[in-house]
Amino acid sequence: MHDGTSLTVGRVRRVLDERIRPAIHSASVPLQVEVNELPGEPISPSAGLTLDFSPAAVPSMWGPAWSTTWFRLSGRVPAEWAGRRVEALIDLGFSDHMPGFQCEALAYRPDGTPIKSINPRNQWIAIADAAAGDEAVVFYLEAAANPLILDFPSFAPTQEGDIRTSSREPLYRLRRLDLAVFETEVYELSLDLEVLFELQAELPETSPRRMRILQAMDDALDVLDLQHVAATASGARAVLAPALATPAEASAHRISAVGHAHIDSAWLWPLRETIRKVARTTSSMTTLIEEQPEFRYGMSSAQQYAWLKEHRPEVWERVKAAVADGRFLPLGGMWVESDTVMPSGESLVRQFSYGQRFFEREFGIRSKGVWLPDSFGYSPALPQLMRRAGFEWFFTQKISWNQQNVFPHHSFLWEGIDGSRVFTHFPSMDTYNSQLSGEELAKASRQFKENRVSSRSIAPVGYGDGGGGTTREMTGKAKRLQNLEGSPRVEWEHPDDFFEAARAEISNPAVWVGELYLELHRGTLTSQHATKALHRWSEHALVEAELWAATDAVRTGAAYPKAEFDRLWETVLLHEFHDILPGTSIAWVHREAVEVLSGVLSDAQDLADAARRSLAGEGERELRFVPTSVGGGRALGAAFVEAPAPASVLLSGENGGWRLENELVSVLVSAEGLIVSAIDKASGREAVAEGRAANLFQLHQDFPNMWDAWDIDKYYRNSVDDLTAVDSISASVVDDLASVTVTRSFSESTIEQTITLAPGQRTVALRCDIDWHETEKLLKLAFPLDIQATHTEAETQFGYQSRATHTNTSWEAAKFETSMHRFVLVREQDFGVALVNDSIYGYDTSREVSDDAVSTTVRLSLLRAPRFPDPDTDHGHHQIEIGFVVGADAAIATAEGIALNSPATLVRGAREVESLVTVTGEGIVVSGVKLADDGSGDVIVRLYEALGRRAVGSIAADFEHREIREVSLIEDALDDGRVGGELRLRPFEVRTLRVVR
């Protein structure tokens, strides 16, 4: 028999595209169109429905960037359509790609009831399943003219990313606003053919199953009259039916499908538009739930549910009802789908506590797992935090984007820095926007790493990023794929059920230890420094404000401002979303983030200041409020300031530069403002590599292949400018501080840096004031160190992570830009150097050999200047504080990092303030003190072991209390949680204690 495969494939493709799909809607009549283009920001639906409307034509232009246009559409169903399914077809001028990234709309009935969304992949509205002849039709569209930022060519700089700079010219042309007859059998035939057509493409070329499918499709098209598709569709379907009825093999891979939209809380649109995206998508999904009895839709992010409740109560009620029916699934247990690399430990705890409490309060449920498909790498602290917050599983997908190394597992145990493990799954189809295509399904089965021991994977199904969600075409395909020969079996299923079944299948899962490093998007550690800095400062300010407010409440009976803390924390948590904190959103988002986070910082500082003044009372004695406790001592309270000891700091000229010296370190600053020597006096060790200079600013060209704000590609290192030219340099001793001030200018930018050494300190303070106006550049600050280190130790949440300084393997070579929090430490057995900071996260490490001596260079990433999606990224003034800690170990690095980020505060008052709790034990750090979320007045103390070793210590509470009990991270009671005064912690263990009043 001659091979006619290519002929059949071409025939089916053309008939589907040119005859069958166009025939899904047959007869049509135009709707009457009226419009009202709003001059400013969106208005409520109730206000939109009462606008005055003016006639409009089709075609006509509408919608300047970021504007809203309300449409009133009206018409009559022709009498001859009686009994037929009638739909409205809406084409607002869509591009044929990127659903969720361009114009979209939400349809309303005249009474304000939301119907569903309209977008490029969902252009229909059901009018009637069986229309009455001459039936009047009226509905409204709230249409958003969102500009297509990520267009072709992609990553081109654009001013459309901010309403202040975007064009006022209309972007979209109305194409079609009609009533039309929906031909059900033609629609079903299109799905029959699509499923079989996609399936045969993935089968072995000459397999019997593929050949039978090809023949069935040929036979079906033989009976289809292309000029009378609707009349002959049923006959064609009958021919295809046997091919769709043959069951799947017993060993077929199983796909647990869950409807999904992955609505980014901000990205190429502002926060205010996300509120509407959530309403549009959830309206469509609740409608689909009503129409498809097996369909289940999952949505994460308590914030998005909260937006619905506040801004779209009519949609919220539909969502609540669907949640109660078990069909709309709150997932993830977090406030937003957060970045997990840069937020502090306390922030991640609050992501879980605020998320879970919202779901419990509003729906009476809690999430069993963390659903985080699209964040840019995952901290090794997460397994412990997830487990201690009560989660059983973790889901993500992003690691499939790795540039270099293919991750070796799909279902496995992920082990964190403390040894905690959580069962984890990556979907083997490598997407969180599945359309249930044959290619995706075959890939899921073929790539699944655990095929020897497991039979199932997850498919998040629907258009996402900009929302949209699952379509009726996807649910139609799912029905055909439930049990189909040659294909994985597809079933709509709650992720909880998937994880329970998957864990039961795998008796001895593989284990991945340490961070889940994404070999991509490394620039997210640096882009949009102002957003990152204000976020870091707000985190620390809120934790300190909680401490003093809790102390004030217990000591004086003052009211604890919990509602205000909730408001501020929820704002911070929202801005930890994985396209805000990483700096990858449009200019509008970051302009607002800087404004909002500045307000959070100010409000948190005001709360702390009010509590400190209340505690100190009226007086003139100077008190030192210490907000941190590292290993014990007098902390978390306030003591009168004693007369200072005689200062011991020297400044002298040497070799054209200056030597700064105290009792611990001696530092030589050259005439170029570089640190050419830094000696630890106790050991005599030199910190700076011989013949090199530290504190060296370096400028690189930074133009990645794509994903500008996201990526740093390794070839950036191939060229570098050392910024050694000096505009001015001077030295002085003021208030017992020895300082050298250096000013540099380069290109369009300037740096003023003050190098300071204080008495009794081993940390050289480097304050950088940078006026940055570069384009596609990366600014680094280099420290070549006379240390032969095999690893760096970089702080992460509640501990630190070790990373190799060498590149023995491709996995290590891929980590050419990595993350830290407040410090990175480089050390030999008996000597180390730490770099601490107040607002940066990225660094790189390299090893150099000179005369057989190995040195280690650490470079901090300060600023970038990508042009997409914000063409003016980081332009403006920045303050960055860095500490060069000479003679450091993990304890010193931890203490110095904490001190820089949470300094003591001087207040005038009348009385000292005793700490509510005293914690002792080397390496035990108090992370936070607050009042309990349940309003009981109990005091919550969170602490952790910071040095990576076992710790023994104690805790005592200095106020009347009944007992101290251990609770979960989100303050749930634990079985046998009673704690005596003794503390025993494993390496990097986090404990949350409730002091019951």
Side-chain angles (χ1 to χ4, degrees), residues 823-836:
F823 73 80
V824 58
L825 172 65
V826 182
R827 59 175 166 170
E828 296 176 0
Q829 189 70 25
D830 58 350
F831 180 75
V833 170
L835 296 166
V836 298

Side-chain angles (χ1 to χ4, degrees), residues 528-551:
Q528 298 285 2
H529 173 262
T531 298
K532 290 175 167 60
L534 285 162
H535 170 263
R536 168 89 70 89
W537 302 338
S538 295
E539 286 178 312
H540 285 81
L542 272 172
V543 170
E544 181 172 356
E546 286 177 330
L547 164 66
W548 301 130
T551 305

Side-chain angles (χ1 to χ4, degrees), residues 716-728:
Y716 86 90
R717 290 184 172 186
N718 295 347
S719 61
V720 60
D721 291 329
D722 292 342
L723 304 180
T724 57
V726 173
D727 295 345
S728 65

Side-chain angles (χ1 to χ4, degrees), residues 254-265:
R254 294 178 179 269
I255 299 288
S256 295
V258 58
H260 193 233
H262 184 68
I263 306 172
D264 283 323
S265 291

Side-chain angles (χ1 to χ4, degrees), residues 740-786:
V740 176
T741 300
V742 188
T743 302
R744 310 177 191 277
S745 59
F746 57 96
S747 184
E748 305 297 321
S749 305
T750 59
I751 301 172
E752 182 178 282
Q753 185 188 54
T754 303
I755 306 166
T756 302
L757 184 64
Q761 299 295 314
R762 63 177 61 253
T763 298
V764 183
L766 309 170
R767 180 186 175 91
C768 308
D769 288 272
I770 307 173
D771 191 22
W772 178 253
H773 296 279
E774 300 305 301
T775 298
E776 295 164 350
K777 294 292 194 294
L778 169 62
L779 183 65
K780 292 264 189 176
L781 186 59
F783 295 85
L785 305 173
D786 189 16

